[in-house]
Amino acid sequence: MALRCGRWWRRPAWSRTRPPPARSPLSRSRALPGLDGSAGGLRAPGFCRLFSTQELTPQICVVGSGPAGFYTAQHLLKHHPRARVDIYEKQLVPFGLVRFGVAPDHPEVKNVINTFTQTARSDRCAFWGNVVVGRDVSVPELREAYHAVVLSYGAEDHQALEIPGEELSGVFSARAFVGWYNGLPENQELAPDLSCDTAVILGQGNVALDVARILLTPPEHLEKTDITEAALGALRQSRVKTVWIVGRRGPLQVAFTIKELREMIQLPGTQSILDPADFLGLQDRIKEAPRPRRRLTELLLRTATEKPGVEGAACQAVASRSWGLRFFRSPQQVLPSPDGQRAAGIRLAVTRLEGAGEATKAVTTGDTEDLPCGLVLSSIGYKSRPIDPSLPFDLTLGVIPNMEGRVVDIPGAAAGPSGGAAALRAQAWLRGHRGSAQRPRGPAGLLLGLGEAGCRGGVPGPGCGEAPGEAGGSSGDAAAAGVRCLNLSLWRRRGGVPRKGEGPGQPAAAAPARLVWQLACIPFPGDSQNFLL
């Protein structure tokens, strides 16, 4: 297998007709530290806006290497034979939530990495890790250097509960908890205390069920996955026996999928707890529901109301763990322990539904109930962060303001809510720019794809679906090519910090602050995963 090194800049076939901007930091070559920390390592040649009387070669920058970014790059490369794409990522490695967000016991979902690998191997695509937009390079500089800039950096923050006690020890966002067991470097020091008997997860989406499943899955099953060693060790010592998954609304409004629900129902050594009273009157109402919603609700209804068979009853009799769905409950306060330092429970406001269809809202009834627990995980949605002061940003909604996909106050800028929409914006950009290379351009168009979460309560957007892919390469190919290999499983279980001698650079504490890693080949799913540099 031939390995290709991504390149920072490729000299086009024609001569340059416009010099690089004199004052832009991207316009001058600067030496970056070598992999050993010495000078004279990778160099970042100058960027410049190129214009020609020949057909334009679009130079496009994609910020973020998650599904939104890779689907956009894939679309651009496929539909424009001359387009060249540079993908920038703040982490050292690519794939965003596919790598750090998908549950470790769902390796089939990560098969989309194979498709992304083929995109990254294109001679017209390059990946650059450890580059933080807004710190290492500004958005105006990128707009000056490229014909188009796609912001697909995702929804990387969680929605706050905004209730008393949220700051107590034992309260975490589900996003941070997922990052912890998946090896996201920024969450490797999370160290949740799992010595309690009961955990409460606020939110009823796929992420909530993922977290509940990981908490309750027998460790001997998890050790066959690529979960981090730190998380696996903590889960082996876990005393969590019961997990409650709480939602403000009812069974017809849950956001998880039937696949995730089946996995919870079939979890070894675990029984489900559903209150039949929550499902009264649903039998007739679900007849008019769309098929996916109807099938999901029917499964919930059967689980809640039907008595298990002989085999099922025997399994429940020996089950040592349990999980349950609590409907019509809204978090009101995290209750502190006697010393006021830790979470000891959560006060839930009882709700009822008002309205119909998509307008259904949960309103409080005035009643409350206290649920004892030692671990509270919030899974009520994600939001984006501002990355550059030059961009408008709505701090309340956690989004870059836009009107029908066009960023406000930024001429020529556009936005899309997910990876799929970002690809559609890329298509529109290509349509608008083909055949227009005869005239000089102004600043680059700016497209926004909010990324994997799509700001819809942590539910992946349309660009974050499963995709078929071919089997990847092997470490033998790399060895034959003389490429240094870093075993991905070991790398991830150490929280993303390679040990000396096992990969490029030194541990994080000794690594150069602005080291840029260039992608030669990216890892494949499976036990033989390798990160090739």
Side-chain angles (χ1 to χ4, degrees), residues 136-155:
D136 301 321
V137 60
S138 69
V139 170
E141 289 171 330
L142 291 176
R143 294 185 69 207
E144 180 65 24
Y146 290 90
H147 296 99
V149 177
V150 181
L151 297 179
S152 58
Y153 62 91

Side-chain angles (χ1 to χ4, degrees), residues 49-62:
R49 299 293 308 284
L50 302 180
F51 307 102
S52 172
T53 57
Q54 303 180 29
E55 181 183 356
L56 176 70
T57 296
Q59 305 285 346
I60 301 153
C61 166
V62 175

Side-chain angles (χ1 to χ4, degrees), residues 362-406:
V363 297
T364 58
T365 65
D367 295 331
T368 63
E369 68 177 27
D370 292 347
L371 185 60
C373 63
L375 178 66
V376 178
L377 298 168
S378 170
S379 183
I380 61 173
Y382 298 161
K383 64 180 181 179
S384 291
R385 297 174 181 169
I387 63 168
D388 193 287
S390 68
L391 293 175
F393 194 84
D394 188 326
L395 291 174
T396 302
L397 298 178
V399 298
I400 294 179
N402 65 90
M403 291 292 292
E404 297 182 350
R406 193 160 296 279

Side-chain angles (χ1 to χ4, degrees), residues 469-481:
E470 300 297 328
S474 67
S475 58
D477 296 325

Side-chain angles (χ1 to χ4, degrees), residues 302-366:
R302 289 196 304 271
T303 305
T305 60
E306 292 183 0
K307 293 183 178 180
V310 176
E311 183 178 350
C315 291
Q316 288 188 6
V318 298
S320 60
R321 301 183 179 189
S322 62
W323 66 276
L325 295 170
R326 299 295 291 268
F327 298 110
F328 309 112
R329 301 292 186 271
S330 179
Q332 194 175 67
Q333 178 186 354
V334 178
L335 303 175
S337 59
D339 63 2
Q341 300 300 311
R342 292 192 49 80
I346 187 161
R347 179 160 296 159
L348 301 172
V350 180
T351 65
R352 68 173 185 270
L353 297 183
E354 290 185 355
E358 296 296 326
T360 300
K361 295 192 304 181
V363 297
T364 58
T365 65

